[in-house]
């Protein structure tokens, strides 16, 4: 019984310790330190090119892709013509042109 | 919208715009309160101050995301609570890592004590140091929600209404968690004193 009372008393006094905690004033330089850090962050946050917004970046990307695609398409469509004219010139140069009637026909 | 809310909205707009005087005012209004909450969770002056600084930097970074669903103060206290818990989790994880390393036989100088036995709280009287360390260590064993509610209510002296707003729980839920937290702490302290005698 005495032991129970002792335990209860100890537990109570331990809980009461929390009530006795005094208010701790914040460091005098706290505000100054935080403002300095915020200023440093602000400098980091400032984007180099402000006008180059994400929407504008997306539009630029789309334009570049379309240009690339059209250049590739154009160049491949020309390759056929070029190769055909090249082959004709080559055949003419070496008299390899096909005749209207083949000897075995 | 009443004048107070309108003023708060104006103030928030200034914060979003990154106006220095607004942050200066925010610090004047909240530095003591935020630090008070931090030192309630983290009984180390320097660590609590570092966490409080992190809180204000987080406020600065994410004020543009603040939707005004709660009061500015409630939002700041939520950030404070989260930052404190994050800090405690990291500290406890470090201890667990060191413990695992010694189990694996790696030679690491091990501080076997819990972070909460190294109380460095200027607000705790010298004669209460031992008991404070004991109760802070006991609080460290509570579940996260019990720890939050008990600390805010008993150490930071927040009202139940404030705790309801910060945690987003109902009043009855807060009361029930508080009851369980007290019970768990009582049990732990009783066990400690039983073993001591």
């Amino acid at each position: 019984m005495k032991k129970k009372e002792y335990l209860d008393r100890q537990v109570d006094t331990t809980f009461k310790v929390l009530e006795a905690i005094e208010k701790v004033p914040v460091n005098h330089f706290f505000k100054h330190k935080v403002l300095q850090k915020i200023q440093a962050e602000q400098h980091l946050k400032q984007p180099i090119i402000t006008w180059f917004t994400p929407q504008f970046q997306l539009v630029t990307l789309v334009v570049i892709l379309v240009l690339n695609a059209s250049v590739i398409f154009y160049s491949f469509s020309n390759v056929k013509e070029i190769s055909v004219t090249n082959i004709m010139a080559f055949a003419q140069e070496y008299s390899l042109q096909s005749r209207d009637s083949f000897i075995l026909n | 919208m009443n004048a107070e809310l309108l003023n708060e909205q104006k103030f928030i707009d200034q914060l979003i715009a990154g106006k220095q005087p607004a942050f200066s005012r925010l610090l004047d209004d909240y530095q003591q309160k935020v630090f008070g909450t931090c030192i309630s969770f983290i009984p180390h002056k320097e660590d609590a101050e570092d966490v409080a600084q992190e809180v204000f930097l987080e406020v600065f970074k994410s004020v543009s995301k603040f939707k005004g669903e709660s009061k500015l103060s409630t939002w700041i206290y939520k950030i404070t609570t989260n930052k404190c818990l994050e800090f405690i989790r990291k500290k406890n994880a470090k201890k667990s890592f060191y413990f695992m390393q010694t189990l694996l036989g790696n030679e690491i100088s091990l501080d076997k004590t819990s972070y909460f036995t190294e109380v460095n709280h200027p607000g705790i009287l010298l004669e209460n140091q031992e008991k404070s360390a004991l109760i802070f260590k006991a609080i460290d064993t509570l579940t996260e929600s019990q720890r939050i509610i008990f600390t805010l209510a008993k150490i930071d002296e927040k009202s139940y209404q404030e705790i309801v707003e910060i945690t987003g729980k109902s009043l009855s839920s807060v009361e029930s968690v508080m009851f369980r937290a007290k019970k768990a702490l009582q049990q732990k302290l009783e066990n400690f004193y039983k073993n001591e005698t």
Side-chain angles (χ1 to χ4, degrees):
Chain A
M1 189 65 191
K2 266 188 182 176
K3 198 178 175 187
K4 175 82 178 122
E5 272 175 28
Y6 167 78
L7 285 177
D8 287 347
R9 208 172 46 245
Q10 287 291 340
V11 171
D12 274 354
T13 50
T14 310
F15 272 116
K16 277 195 180 127
V17 157
L18 294 178
E19 290 165 24
I21 294 177
E22 288 167 6
K23 187 180 165 185
V24 183
V26 71
N27 188 322
H28 289 299
F29 302 106
F30 182 84
K31 182 181 168 182
H32 179 69
K33 277 190 211 167
V34 175
L35 284 177
Q36 261 189 338
K37 282 192 178 178
I38 287 176
Q39 258 181 344
E41 288 269 334
Q42 259 174 334
H43 283 297
L44 280 178
K45 258 176 98 176
Q46 272 173 357
I48 302 157
I49 313 164
T50 45
W51 54 267
F52 202 51
T53 57
Q55 288 95 328
F56 198 62
Q57 287 169 23
L58 188 72
V59 170
T60 312
L61 183 71
V62 169
V63 167
I64 288 170
L65 284 176
V66 167
L67 274 175
N68 270 315
S70 55
V71 164
I72 290 166
F73 178 76
Y74 179 76
S75 57
F76 271 101
S77 62
N78 269 0
V79 164
K80 267 187 194 168
E81 281 175 31
I82 290 165
S83 60
V84 167
T85 49
N86 280 352
I87 289 166
M88 294 287 280
F90 180 78
Q92 258 182 353
E93 185 76 24
Y94 294 96
S95 311
L96 296 170
Q97 276 171 305
S98 62
R99 294 187 180 107
D100 291 331
S101 55
F102 193 61
I103 194 153
L104 295 176
N105 280 347
Chain B
M1 199 184 268
N2 64 32
E4 200 184 320
L5 278 176
L6 205 67
N7 276 341
E8 186 165 288
Q9 193 49 54
K10 263 187 196 171
F11 180 53
I12 292 163
D13 290 342
Q14 284 174 341
L15 288 173
I16 293 170
K19 298 257 189 329
Q20 188 82 359
F23 279 101
S24 182
R25 197 185 124 192
L26 182 88
L27 277 155
D28 286 336
D29 291 351
Y30 289 99
Q31 60 177 348
Q32 186 59 55
K33 293 170 189 167
V34 167
F35 174 69
T37 303
C38 288
I39 204 162
S40 300
F41 279 98
I42 304 159
H44 291 250
K45 194 173 185 245
E46 287 77 25
D47 288 343
E49 214 170 272
D50 288 346
V51 175
Q53 280 189 26
E54 276 180 37
V55 170
F56 284 105
L57 286 179
E58 184 64 46
V59 169
F60 166 72
K61 279 182 205 158
S62 43
V63 71
S64 54
K65 292 177 208 154
F66 176 62
K67 290 173 190 132
E69 286 160 353
S70 63
K71 280 193 282 182
L72 182 67
S73 59
T74 308
W75 182 66
I76 293 174
Y77 285 131
K78 267 186 198 171
I79 294 176
T80 309
T81 311
N82 287 336
K83 285 277 173 196
C84 290
L85 292 178
E86 203 179 288
F87 177 86
I88 291 165
R89 258 183 247 132
K90 271 186 202 162
K91 280 280 171 193
N92 286 340
K94 226 179 199 177
K95 292 278 177 193
S96 307
F97 171 75
Y98 286 146
F99 181 65
M100 287 303 290
Q101 288 295 311
T102 48
L103 282 183
L104 294 169
N106 294 338
E107 286 291 320
I108 285 182
S109 61
L110 171 68
D111 175 12
K112 284 182 180 127
T113 56
S114 152
Y115 175 67
F116 294 94
T117 55
E118 307 150 10
V119 170
N120 169 23
H121 191 308
I124 295 173
L125 303 171
L126 199 64
E127 62 264 32
N128 291 339
Q129 289 278 347
E130 210 177 307
K131 280 194 162 59
S132 301
L134 180 65
I135 197 152
F136 273 109
K137 201 179 167 190
I139 291 169
D140 194 37
T141 63
L142 294 177
T143 64
E144 217 156 70
S145 65
Q146 286 176 354
R147 178 205 284 269
I148 294 169
I149 289 169
F150 184 84
T151 307
L152 289 176
K154 289 289 170 188
I155 309 176
D156 200 24
E157 293 172 342
K158 294 251 180 297
S159 68
Y160 273 19
Q161 191 48 48
E162 282 175 300
I163 296 171
V164 163
E165 284 168 13
I166 295 167
T167 57
K169 289 182 193 290
S170 66
L171 182 62
S172 58
S173 168
V174 166
E175 281 171 342
S176 120
V177 173
M178 184 68 187
F179 176 77
R180 272 181 274 138
K182 272 187 193 168
K183 216 54 193 151
L185 285 176
Q186 214 160 1
Q187 194 63 52
K188 295 220 186 289
L189 293 174
E190 268 178 26
N191 286 343
F192 174 81
Y193 286 117
K194 247 183 223 170
N195 293 333
E196 200 192 41
T197 51

